[in-house]
């Protein structure tokens, strides 16, 4: 299947507005730290979006590197790493940026209280955000990470479709604030 039929968009981390929406038009994200989730993508479209954005390295910030359901079996760590390798893209798991089981359970309880599922969540709970920042992100030397990893050609990867519903947006925001990265989010 040719990629010409695929569509996706890039949204600004600052305004949430669509910066660019395209059908493999040659637009590139070079110099922008990107984020992407699993939900809403097929493997083919996912890899195509990474290629189009000139990503060279996927940074997996999940704690559990699997996704339930056959629709997203391609995103389970071994399969994903193999597919990325075949596409000429690198893979690195950043366990130090993954939320703990306790934090994930906290968010699940809030989702249940609000009557939303993980796939339909629109934002992170305030308590989760605060605790993730203090318990996880404040303990990671992002400047050192930026020195070790080519972040300007990397993509932060987790599960949720929308970055506002995922801790990857907190990582990206911190990198923007502390290290001056421009951040964009790939969405199906």
């Amino acid at each position: 299947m040719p990629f010409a039929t695929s569509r996706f968009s890039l949204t600004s981390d600052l305004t949430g507005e669509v910066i660019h929406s395209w059908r493999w038009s040659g637009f590139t994200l070079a110099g922008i730290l990107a984020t992407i989730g699993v939900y809403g993508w097929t493997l083919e479209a996912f890899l195509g979006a990474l290629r189009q954005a000139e990503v060279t390295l996927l940074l997996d910030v999940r704690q559990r590197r699997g996704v339930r359901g056959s629709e997203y079996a391609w995103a389970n760590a071994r399969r994903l790493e193999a597919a990325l390798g075949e596409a000429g893209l690198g893979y690195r798991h950043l366990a130090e940026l993954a939320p703990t089981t306790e934090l994930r359970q906290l968010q699940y309880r809030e989702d249940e209280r609000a009557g939303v599922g993980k796939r339909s969540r629109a934002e992170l709970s305030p308590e989760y955000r605060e605790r993730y920042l203090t318990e996880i992100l404040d303990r990671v030397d992002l400047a050192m990470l930026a020195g070790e990893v080519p972040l300007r050609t990397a993509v932060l990867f987790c599960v949720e479709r929308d970055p506002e519903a995922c801790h990857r947006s907190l990582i990206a925001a911190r990198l923007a604030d502390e290290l001056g990265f421009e951040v964009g989010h790939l969405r199906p």
Side-chain angles (χ1 to χ4, degrees):
M1 170 183 265
F3 290 122
T5 61
S6 299
R7 285 183 174 264
F8 59 98
S9 62
L10 171 70
T11 59
S12 167
D13 197 39
L14 297 176
T15 65
E17 295 177 13
V18 173
I19 296 171
H20 193 79
S21 179
W22 64 99
R23 274 190 182 223
W24 307 108
S25 65
F27 178 78
T28 177
L29 287 180
I32 297 176
L33 174 66
T35 81
I36 195 168
V38 170
Y39 296 143
W41 296 98
T42 63
L43 175 59
E44 183 179 74
F46 181 86
L47 292 174
L50 297 181
R51 278 190 216 99
Q52 190 67 24
E54 297 185 7
V55 167
T56 61
L57 178 65
L58 182 134
L59 301 173
D60 190 340
V61 295
R62 299 176 293 174
Q63 180 196 40
R64 289 183 58 248
R65 295 182 298 151
V67 182
R68 292 191 177 138
S70 60
E71 180 181 5
Y72 297 109
W74 60 266
N76 293 326
R78 286 189 183 143
R79 290 178 182 157
L80 178 61
E81 195 168 355
L84 290 168
E86 288 176 19
L89 304 172
Y91 173 91
R92 182 168 171 189
H93 182 229
L94 298 177
E96 66 272 23
L97 291 174
T100 62
T101 299
E102 180 184 349
L103 281 175
R104 290 176 45 245
Q105 293 301 319
L106 173 102
Q107 183 62 54
Y108 296 155
R109 286 190 302 275
E110 181 58 26
D111 291 346
E112 187 176 336
R113 189 195 65 72
V116 298
K118 182 178 186 174
R119 294 184 188 194
S120 59
R121 177 188 319 136
E123 63 185 4
L124 295 167
S125 74
E127 184 179 0
Y128 176 96
R129 291 176 63 84
E130 182 60 34
R131 287 190 57 193
Y132 179 82
L133 292 172
T134 58
E135 295 174 22
I136 306 293
L137 206 48
D138 286 350
R139 298 177 183 185
V140 176
D141 186 345
L142 292 178
M144 181 179 287
L145 176 67
E148 296 174 358
V149 175
L151 292 178
R152 294 201 188 276
T153 59
V155 64
L156 294 173
F157 170 73
C158 198
V159 176
E160 290 79 6
R161 177 190 183 277
D162 297 316
E164 303 82 10
C166 179
H167 71 287
R168 72 179 187 270
S169 67
L170 303 176
I171 301 165
R174 178 72 59 90
L175 285 164
D177 291 345
E178 291 185 0
L179 301 176
F181 282 90
E182 184 176 351
V183 175
H185 304 287
L186 293 169
R187 299 177 198 245

